[in-house]
């Protein structure tokens, strides 16, 4: 058996790779670590700067944010919106992608092109608002769910993935008497887990981070999402800090900043609170997510 010895150039190349990718990982993770360290540091000390370790460990930032009026109801609304919106979006996009993959579907090409047009043409904000109003979705929880239930890009990904599956699977099921819906739920959906996981991640992130529809179409505080609630509080904190500075009373400003959240502390703490829940989803979806993206990229 012939044994190949490693050359000096190969060793140097490996060392360079390890060093380079280690630095790359550090550069990618450090911003998140910095925000985490800042959020658990004493606000007055963190304002002077932090690096790797917290300065004066405290959970004061999180405590104050969690004491906001309506914060728990807003968190519940955001969770329910994300769960329902993601589940409905995945099902409808998958069903529509399956229908467009069937060549016997009447008007398939025309309808598919009409769907593609929605990626390039928009009616604008005012017509969109009038449509929401005419459908009775103002101050309605369903305004979070219905308008974004179907996305053209997601339909394209699923359609492309389904077309990569062997036709013999569906044909044999039809010979056994299975209908289109049975084939979709029993055969197509289980085989489409990679792309479905990809769509689920896209939809979950979009629903969780969305706040503009809440800002435009909802006036009831009971239906406010977590993102809008924290956004409004952040604006209030920044306004308070600016007014104190502009008043010229530096002592009041310093005292206020010492016993309350600083605007930067609010911003970073809010970023952590809204980021951590959605980040927990990625480890479970990663292997499906990567496979789904690769298939969509190659087959599309």
């Amino acid at each position: 058996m012939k044994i190949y010895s490693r050359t000096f150039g190969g060793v140097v190349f490996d060392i360079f790779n390890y060093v380079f990718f280690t630095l790359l990982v550090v550069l990618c993770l450090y911003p998140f670590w910095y925000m985490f360290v800042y959020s658990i540091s004493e606000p007055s000390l963190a304002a002077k700067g932090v690096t790797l370790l917290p300065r004066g460990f405290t959970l004061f930032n999180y405590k104050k944010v969690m004491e906001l009026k309506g914060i728990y109801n807003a968190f519940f609304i955001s969770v329910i919106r994300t769960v329902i919106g993601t589940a409905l979006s995945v099902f409808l996009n998958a069903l529509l992608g399956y229908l467009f993959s069937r060549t016997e579907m009447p008007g398939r090409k025309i309808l598919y092109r009409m769907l593609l047009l929605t990626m390039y043409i928009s009616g604008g904000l005012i017509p969109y608002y009038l449509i929401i109003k005419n459908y009775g979705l103002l101050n309605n929880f369903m305004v979070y769910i219905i308008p974004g239930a179907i996305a053209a890009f997601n339909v394209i990904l699923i359609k492309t993935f389904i077309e990569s599956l062997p036709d013999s699977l569906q044909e044999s099921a039809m010979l056994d008497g299975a209908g289109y819906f049975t084939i979709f739920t029993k055969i197509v959906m289980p085989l489409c887990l990679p792309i479905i996981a990809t769509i689920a991640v896209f939809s979950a992130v979009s629903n969780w981070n969305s706040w503009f529809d809440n800002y435009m179409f909802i006036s009831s505080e009971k239906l406010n999402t977590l993102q809008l609630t924290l956004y409004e509080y952040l604006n209030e904190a920044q306004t308070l800090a600016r007014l104190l500075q502009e008043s010229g009373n530096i002592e009041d400003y310093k005292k206020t900043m010492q016993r309350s959240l600083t605007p930067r502390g609010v911003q970073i703490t809010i970023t952590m609170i809204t980021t951590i829940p959605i980040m927990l989803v990625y480890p479970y979806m990663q292997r499906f997510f990567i496979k789904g993206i690769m298939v969509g990229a190659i087959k599309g």
Side-chain angles (χ1 to χ4, degrees):
M1 183 176 66
K2 189 175 182 179
I3 301 177
Y4 293 92
S5 60
R6 301 181 63 188
T7 63
F8 176 76
V11 174
V12 172
F13 180 75
D14 290 342
I15 294 175
F16 173 81
N17 277 342
Y18 282 120
V19 172
F20 174 77
F21 285 107
T22 300
L23 291 175
L24 186 62
V25 169
V26 171
L27 289 175
C28 293
L29 294 181
Y30 180 73
F32 181 80
W33 175 253
Y34 173 84
M35 290 191 298
F36 174 71
V37 169
Y38 196 105
S39 67
I40 61 175
S41 298
E42 190 70 31
S44 58
L45 297 176
K48 300 177 182 179
V50 296
T51 52
L52 295 177
L53 298 176
R55 302 186 63 179
F57 174 79
T58 179
L59 296 178
F60 174 79
N61 290 337
Y62 292 95
K63 179 182 177 181
K64 295 299 292 183
V65 170
M66 291 303 176
E67 290 176 354
L68 294 177
K69 179 182 178 182
I71 189 69
Y72 293 104
N73 181 73
F75 182 80
F76 175 75
I77 293 295
S78 289
V79 171
I80 294 299
R81 169 189 180 161
T82 302
V83 172
I84 297 177
T86 300
L88 184 63
S89 178
V90 167
F91 178 77
L92 293 181
N93 283 302
L95 181 60
L96 191 56
Y98 169 69
L99 292 177
F100 282 138
S101 69
R102 304 301 305 176
T103 56
E104 64 270 23
M105 175 184 174
R108 180 177 71 99
K109 293 183 178 179
I110 297 177
L111 293 175
Y112 187 63
R113 290 187 175 92
M114 291 177 63
L115 179 69
L116 294 181
L117 285 177
T118 62
M119 298 178 64
Y120 306 99
I121 300 176
S122 173
L125 182 59
I126 295 178
Y128 183 57
Y129 181 88
L130 294 176
I131 291 175
I132 296 297
K133 180 180 179 180
N134 291 334
Y135 276 103
L137 294 177
L138 293 180
N139 282 321
N140 190 325
F141 176 78
M142 296 308 295
V143 76
Y144 297 144
I145 308 299
I146 295 177
I150 293 178
F153 180 71
N154 295 342
V155 174
I156 294 172
L157 288 179
I158 295 178
K159 173 181 176 293
T160 303
F161 191 95
I162 293 175
E163 288 175 344
S164 68
L165 301 176
D167 293 333
S168 57
L169 293 175
Q170 300 184 46
E171 292 172 355
S172 60
M174 287 184 175
L175 292 176
D176 291 336
Y180 288 111
F181 191 75
T182 301
I183 295 174
F184 171 70
T185 55
K186 301 294 185 181
I187 297 177
V188 175
M189 285 286 283
L191 294 175
C192 289
L193 283 180
I195 196 64
I196 286 176
T198 304
I199 300 305
V201 171
F202 287 159
S203 180
V205 172
S206 176
N207 279 285
W208 179 259
N209 291 334
S210 181
W211 62 273
F212 188 72
D213 48 3
N214 185 184
Y215 182 77
M216 288 295 300
F217 308 125
I218 301 293
S219 58
S220 174
E221 293 183 356
K222 295 181 179 179
L223 293 176
N224 280 350
T225 60
L226 178 65
Q227 284 67 26
L228 183 64
T229 301
L230 296 178
Y231 172 76
E232 291 177 345
Y233 182 73
L234 174 60
N235 287 338
E236 292 176 3
Q238 291 175 331
T239 302
L240 174 61
R242 189 184 70 254
L243 291 176
L244 286 171
Q245 286 180 309
E246 291 176 353
S247 66
N249 195 334
I250 303 301
E251 293 300 324
D252 287 346
Y253 172 75
K254 291 181 178 179
K255 291 179 181 179
T256 302
M257 292 301 100
Q258 287 176 354
R259 66 173 183 268
S260 64
L261 285 170
T262 62
R264 185 173 178 81
V266 173
Q267 185 179 20
I268 290 179
T269 304
I270 288 173
T271 302
M272 292 298 299
I273 292 175
T274 56
T275 302
I276 289 177
I278 204 65
M279 284 185 63
L280 297 178
V281 176
Y282 277 96
Y284 299 99
M285 297 290 190
Q286 183 180 11
R287 61 191 181 96
F288 297 112
F289 182 79
I290 294 175
K291 184 177 180 181
I293 288 294
M294 290 300 296
V295 171
I298 296 173
K299 300 296 290 186

